[in-house]
């Protein structure tokens, strides 16, 4: 699955991705299909999908000047300390990498006969 970890700018981005299997566990796995967390679709996944697989595409982010961690000016934690405020801005290259990785993983699972990706 690591054959996408090459720099080939003709794909529309710089860098590569590593696709790797990852563990799936109940009850969290159905939440990845339906982030709302409960209901009929959640129960259907548990009851009717005994065979499941998961993978992740890992990609590097280019530095972006607006990515930073600052301390919140008014919000405090239980110890009275300012809570961190994380600002994450995705670079266009990172968005292209992730989109490509999702597409490749979708193609892989569909080629293996996945009923739902």
């Amino acid at each position: 699955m690591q054959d996408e970890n090459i720099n080939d700018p003709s794909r529309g981005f710089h860098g590569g991705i590593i696709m790797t299997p990852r563990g799936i566990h109940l009850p969290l796995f159905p939440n990845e299909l339906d982030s709302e967390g409960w209901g009929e679709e959640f129960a259907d996944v548990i009851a009717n999908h005994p065979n499941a697989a998961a993978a992740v595409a890992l990609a590097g982010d280019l530095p972006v000047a607006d990515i930073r961690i600052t301390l919140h000016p008014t919000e405090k934690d239980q110890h009275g300390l300012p809570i961190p405020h994380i600002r994450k801005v995705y670079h266009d290259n990172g968005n292209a990498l992730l989109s490509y990785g999702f597409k490749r993983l979708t193609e892989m699972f569909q080629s293996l006969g996945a009923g739902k990706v």
Side-chain angles (χ1 to χ4, degrees):
M1 290 176 68
Q2 294 189 4
D3 60 347
E4 300 290 344
N5 194 22
I6 57 172
N7 185 32
D8 180 2
S10 70
R11 297 183 293 184
F13 52 84
H14 294 279
I17 57 172
I18 296 173
M19 296 183 293
T20 184
R22 65 179 280 262
I24 54 174
H25 310 285
L26 290 174
L28 299 178
F29 175 61
N31 283 334
E32 294 181 24
L33 301 176
D34 177 11
S35 62
E36 296 301 315
W38 299 104
E40 289 183 29
E41 186 174 2
F42 185 93
D44 177 67
V45 170
I46 292 172
N48 298 312
H49 296 86
N51 301 313
V56 63
L58 304 172
D61 280 338
L62 294 175
V64 176
D66 288 338
I67 296 175
R68 61 184 53 129
I69 301 173
T70 58
L71 297 177
H72 197 281
T74 58
E75 299 271 336
K76 309 280 186 200
D77 68 10
Q78 68 270 25
H79 304 289
L81 299 172
I83 63 168
H85 178 262
I86 301 170
R87 177 173 165 79
K88 171 69 172 153
V89 179
Y90 288 95
H91 190 281
D92 289 343
N93 191 74
N95 288 333
L97 273 164
L98 292 174
S99 178
Y100 180 82
F102 182 75
K103 177 183 171 214
R104 295 293 290 145
L105 287 172
T106 299
E107 290 169 355
M108 180 191 69
F109 281 119
Q110 287 173 338
S111 76
L112 296 170
K116 182 174 185 174
V117 177

